[in-house]
Amino acid sequence: MVAMVVLLLGGAAGLLVELRDAAFEKAESATAGAARLLEDNLSRTLVTTDAIIARMVVVVQENQAGRIGRAELLRELASLEAGLTQRGNMLVVDAKGDVVAAVRPPKAGGAVNYAHRDYFSAHRDGAERFIGPMVLGVYSQAPVFTISRRVNAPDGGFGGLVVVGVNARFFTDFYNTLGLGESSYIGANTAGRIMLRQPNPEKYVGRLPPNNPVMAAAATQPVGTIRIDSPIDKVERVVSYRKLAQFDVLVSAGMAVDDIVAPWRRTALVICGALAVVLLGLGWMAGTTFKVISREEQAMASLEETVVARTAEAEQRATEARLANESKTRFLAAASHDLRQPLQAAGMFVEVLAGQVEDDPRKVKVVDRLRQSIEATNSLLATLLDVSALEAGKIKPNVSDFRVMPLLAGLVDQIEPEASAKGLAIGVIPTSLTVRSDPVLLERLLRNLLVNAIRYTTSGRVLVGCRRRGGQVVIQVLDSGIGIPADKAEAVFEDFVRLDTPAERGGSRGLGLGLGVVRRMAALLGHALELRSIPGKGSCFGVVVSKA
């Protein structure tokens, strides 16, 4: 009995240790993937923005040399600002720090001077390019990080600079899609100062992280994962980091240890409860057995009964003992059967972990499969959460006027890798139109339409563009996919409706909720949906938005 109890306790403890280790390995994989995605997103933003700024520097120098006029300079400024991957303000600053050219006036009004900014001093001292930490933008009144380039005067001296302030809040949607937990974060540092932090970026404007262990680790190893107590908020986290050598920027993503072990704690509570029930049952059985044995000993010790009576009583006690023993056997068999499943699960964990030995070629295959499963699960979960939030009325539109081209260009940049993987061309028709809607919800709606178009297109291309229609703008997503039969045109916007097609059989199958989310978001925003399709030729989905 003691040996059985020891085995049960040891097995449960071993299983809990394996489950806890697996939870931390999963967290390390999740944070490493988030850091890699942030690196790709931020690198694309920095490279594109820097290239646009470099072009604007040439325009400013042409203007200073008298080869183009101010009107041409402003047209070039507006055109280049519209091509920024993340919406922001691009400003031309002279050698005194005054803003001399901008597409729109500052929100606070009045003249603006940037001579006090770090990047102004750096460029005045000779720096060609400067990536600045997060500050409160004078123009946007929002937390921004800056990318700037020096403008050389015709005599070779300091002629000013061109700067773009990238709104840190534009990374909020990216952070929300990661699903790392309530106390998680993503961030970026430049020159030891905070460049980007999510969530709640406004809390970190101008803050200097003291004794940042992530930066210390990155100084010796550019990519890695560590476990630290955050110097900013004192939360213990598993943090993965990557260094962008091209821009001297360090990105990181972290999950709180409390969020990582919360599911494990619930599992441990269930296992301990089940183990307590088993031990109580074993204790009851042991007590019952000892009582039977005691009664038998008393009967055998009694000399007051006749031999027949003593024999009959002995037989009766033997029968009771046999029944008790059979009951014990059945109980142990049932308990063994019930415990076999968690023990088998523990074996499976061990086998998977054994396959992840360092330098084992199978490790790459296992990690790839885990990553694919996690990405697919996150996608389905995000869709289910969207449906749940929309049905519950928890999402409130934040309507504003904005240029639609940066939104469409950013979406195409995000979706392009998936399209390229299928051999599809994807593009956006340039437009200068301004619309009135919630930019975040409209972006999510259009992303669902783009993902749906790529999923049902096996060859050809996907195209995004806008058409004017009186006081409205129709944003259209066109594809050369399989098309939709006329009798399915309304049904495809219902939940759990999927078209079983060759294009879909080759990829992952969703729940059939993507267009259902589009329908709900369009209704929430008050936008009408349009659909034209020719089976075998392609489809055109349209969203009717008010023109600003």
Side-chain angles (χ1 to χ4, degrees):
M1 185 69 70
V2 173
M4 183 177 296
V5 171
V6 171
L7 286 174
L8 287 174
L9 292 176
L15 175 60
L16 290 176
V17 170
E18 293 293 341
L19 290 176
R20 193 174 190 276
D21 291 343
F24 275 97
E25 288 188 6
K26 181 178 179 182
E28 291 176 4
S29 176
T31 55
R36 184 174 57 256
L37 290 174
L38 178 58
E39 176 191 31
D40 293 342
N41 193 313
L42 192 57
S43 293
R44 185 166 56 250
T45 297
L46 293 175
V47 168
T48 303
T49 305
D50 185 52
I52 291 175
I53 291 174
R55 169 57 187 159
M56 191 62 207
V57 167
V58 174
V59 174
V60 174
Q61 290 174 336
E62 290 288 313
N63 173 256
Q64 291 181 349
R67 287 188 284 271
I68 64 171
R70 178 172 176 79
E72 180 64 21
L73 181 143
L74 292 176
R75 282 195 297 271
E76 288 289 338
L77 177 62
S79 175
L80 291 172
E81 184 179 284
L84 293 173
T85 57
Q86 300 288 352
R87 295 183 295 276
N89 296 307
M90 183 158 63
L91 311 174
V92 179
V93 180
D94 64 13
K96 297 179 181 179
D98 294 325
V99 175
V100 295
V103 174
R104 62 186 65 82
K107 288 189 176 181
V112 178
N113 183 278
Y114 285 111
H116 63 287
R117 294 295 198 195
D118 292 346
Y119 55 79
F120 183 87
S121 300
H123 290 310
R124 184 182 56 198
D125 295 340
E128 288 296 326
R129 181 179 67 191
F130 191 86
I131 309 296
M134 188 160 55
V135 296
L136 183 64
V138 176
Y139 259 70
S140 63
Q141 297 295 301
V144 300
F145 62 86
T146 58
I147 310 170
S148 57
R149 276 187 172 270
R150 173 188 170 106
V151 174
N152 292 320
D155 61 0
F158 177 54
L161 57 93
V162 178
V163 60
V164 169
V166 180
N167 194 328
R169 295 191 181 118
F170 294 143
F171 289 83
T172 300
D173 275 348
F174 172 79
Y175 165 77
N176 290 335
T177 60
L178 297 176
L180 297 179
E182 292 183 1
S183 299
S184 64
Y185 86 96
I186 59 171
N189 288 49
T190 178
R193 301 179 66 183
I194 297 176
M195 172 183 168
L196 175 66
R197 179 86 178 198
Q198 287 285 353
N200 305 317
E202 60 276 355
K203 293 183 179 179
Y204 305 96
V205 172
R207 291 184 62 177
L208 292 173
N211 302 321
N212 191 335
V214 178
M215 295 183 63
T220 58
Q221 186 176 358
V223 178
T225 300
I226 59 176
R227 183 170 170 177
I228 63 169
D229 287 326
S230 173
I232 293 180
D233 53 16
K234 308 304 180 185
V235 176
E236 186 180 11
R237 292 188 174 93
V238 171
V239 177
S240 293
Y241 62 87
R242 302 177 74 88
K243 193 168 185 179
L244 282 68
Q246 180 181 358
F247 296 100
D248 193 23
V249 171
L250 178 66
V251 300
S252 59
M255 289 181 66
V257 170
D258 286 343
D259 291 339
I260 295 171
V261 301
W264 174 83
R265 286 172 178 162
R266 291 191 292 269
T267 301
L269 184 61
V270 172
I271 292 176
C272 290
L275 187 61
V277 171
V278 172
L279 293 177
L280 287 173
L282 291 176
W284 173 81
M285 292 177 58
T288 300
T289 302
F290 290 142
K291 288 179 180 179
V292 170
I293 294 174
S294 177
R295 286 197 297 267
E296 290 180 350
E297 289 177 348
Q298 291 175 4
M300 292 174 65
S302 177
L303 300 176
E304 298 179 357
E305 299 292 338
T306 63
V307 173
V308 176
R310 288 199 302 270
T311 302
E313 188 176 359
E315 291 176 351
Q316 181 180 358
R317 297 297 183 266
T319 300
E320 292 176 359
R322 178 177 56 79
L323 293 175
N325 189 60
E326 291 175 355
S327 177
K328 178 186 71 176
T329 302
R330 289 195 299 271
F331 179 83
L332 291 177
S336 175
H337 179 270
D338 291 340
L339 289 173
R340 189 174 293 116
Q341 291 182 352
L343 292 177
Q344 288 176 346
M348 292 174 64
F349 278 116
V350 171
E351 291 300 323
V352 173
L353 291 175
Q356 296 182 358
V357 177
E358 189 70 19
D359 299 328
D360 188 337
R362 293 176 298 177
K363 180 178 179 181
V364 176
K365 184 176 181 181
V366 172
V367 170
D368 286 342
R369 289 182 176 176
L370 285 173
R371 185 181 299 116
Q372 292 171 6
S373 298
I374 290 170
E375 291 174 354
T377 302
N378 281 337
S379 177
L380 294 177
L381 179 60
T383 302
L384 290 172
L385 289 176
D386 280 343
V387 172
S388 176
L390 289 168
E391 291 289 352
K394 294 181 179 179
I395 298 179
K396 303 298 182 184
N398 185 14
V399 178
S400 62
D401 297 341
F402 58 95
R403 294 171 61 86
V404 75
M405 184 59 193
L407 184 148
L408 299 180
L411 274 174
V412 170
D413 284 346
Q414 296 171 27
I415 302 296
E416 192 275 334
E418 184 176 347
S420 297
K422 293 188 64 175
L424 302 176
I426 184 169
V428 58
I429 300 176
T431 178
S432 60
L433 292 174
T434 301
V435 299
R436 182 168 181 78
S437 182
D438 183 319
V440 174
L441 293 180
L442 182 61
E443 183 181 35
R444 290 163 66 182
L445 185 155
L446 293 173
R447 181 183 289 111
N448 278 348
L449 289 179
L450 279 170
V451 170
N452 189 73
I454 291 173
R455 176 177 295 171
Y456 288 92
T457 302
T458 56
S459 62
R461 65 182 303 176
V462 175
L463 189 64
V464 186
C466 297
R467 291 182 180 274
R468 297 184 183 183
R469 185 183 293 171
Q472 295 178 319
V473 175
V474 184
I475 304 175
Q476 296 178 325
V477 177
L478 303 94
D479 63 66
S480 58
I482 61 172
I484 300 171
D487 59 344
K488 299 285 188 179
E490 295 184 5
V492 293
F493 289 99
E494 299 299 325
D495 294 339
F496 308 111
V497 173
R498 299 179 301 215
L499 298 181
D500 188 11
T501 67
E504 190 181 18
R505 294 186 198 113
S508 61
R509 291 177 62 88
L511 291 176
L513 291 174
L515 293 182
V517 171
V518 169
R519 172 176 56 82
R520 288 177 174 88
M521 284 188 176
L524 180 64
L525 294 170
H527 299 337
L529 294 175
E530 297 179 349
L531 170 59
R532 300 196 309 273
S533 183
I534 301 175
K537 298 293 185 179
S539 302
C540 175
F541 287 84
V543 183
V544 183
V545 184
S546 298
K547 183 179 178 183

